[in-house]
Amino acid sequence: MRADLGSARTALTAAAVHAEEVLGLLPAPEHRTQEQRATAAEATDSVRSLRAVFLDTHVDAVYDELTEARTRHLRVAELASAAAEAFPGLVPTTSQLETEGIRAQAGKEGREIDQGIFFGKVLGSPLAGPHLLDAMLRPTPRALAILPEFTRTGRADLGSVRMERTDGVARLTMCRDDCLNAEDNQQIEDIETAVDLALLDPAVEVALLRGGEMTHPRYHGKRVFSAGINLKSLHGGGISLVDFLLRRELGYIHKILRGLVVEDGAAWRPRTVEKPWVAVVDTFAIGGGAQLLLVFDHVIAASDAFFSLPAAKEGIIPGAGNFRLSRAAGTRLSRQVILEGRRIWATEPQARLLVDEVHEADALDEAVERSVERLRGPAVVANRRMLHLAEESAYEFRRYMAEFALQQALRLYSSDVIHKVGRFTAEKEAHR
């Protein structure tokens, strides 16, 4: 098997080098003629087919080599970097990604598709996949570095997220007032750190997430939960498959649902630290904001709030929203929301499939305090664990994410997405 892996690795590297030579003779992607685009597609398709076959045969051997027989827990970015070094041609190198990173989405080669192939095969493996999920449920180094100060003061300003612990409640406030809490790579970094801190701090019993007050002219002084993915960043090439789309789903959202993996304690005890989570929706929860609500234990909304998953309009896949919304709201409503762009208002009867309570804006604060008090019960954590096991198995989630890794990568570089986000950005700039 090792001999087979060695010869296959050599063949893959040679094929990748040849594909790069072909691309190197062509103009930048946005300047290619139709014939040149066909030449590039033929070269990339050929080597991608070889990558897929290589991983179908050797994915577990590759993963074991990268993780030293699953004794090292590498996060998705670390794993991709290690794979690029150990298996040349399997995934893009750091320098290739840096070159892509400074280009607008329309000007990229689409190298993240190769990462999508890689992570799809890794997550699909019954050996490698669970180990990667486990690695992504561990606390980040940034959170561990900040934890002593947070436990001492009960406060942390992480940039796009502020935290305050009061009376056993970790209150997380999303404060990207420049973009209505639209998510980008930096916000994913900050909110995962905040989630880790809330789960690691022994003084925290319940965690609460809410949007802060905005400075946007249309929403000045109003709280907003989330505008979803930052389409301006997507058009500018700033939304990455690994650091945003995969990290988001496998990192902080999965941690809210399933808890944080820790190594302390006896081997027979649960390895995760879990806590109940409450979300408060002011104004709207669009796209990723609506997806996020599906993993919370209790959701409170203002009476004038609305929810939407404009995936079809944006042209991308709404994270694990397809996976979780059907369970929460049923298949018919899920299709209306995801495929047809239906907007759900908090006052509609169907909204009760997504939220637990709806109140006038001036009654939200009192409703929040009642909710966090109810979730302090000593049996809450054990019962939420059992509910999640019944509702969403780790096996089903892993299978979904394996397909998501590839399909989302393909969507990122589809012509309709590039056209849509470019048009969106141009319209936004024209209305400034």
Side-chain angles (χ1 to χ4, degrees), residues 35-54:
E35 182 179 355
Q36 290 169 336
R37 290 177 187 274
T39 299
E42 182 180 357
T44 54
D45 287 350
S46 176
V47 72
R48 281 173 182 159
S49 296
L50 188 57
R51 288 183 181 110
V53 171
F54 174 83

Side-chain angles (χ1 to χ4, degrees), residues 154 164-171 203-206 369 372-373 376:
E164 182 180 13
R165 184 190 64 236
T166 58
D167 300 322
V169 180
R171 301 172 190 271
V204 171
E205 299 175 71
V206 183
E369 298 311 314
V372 297
E373 190 61 35
R376 292 180 191 270

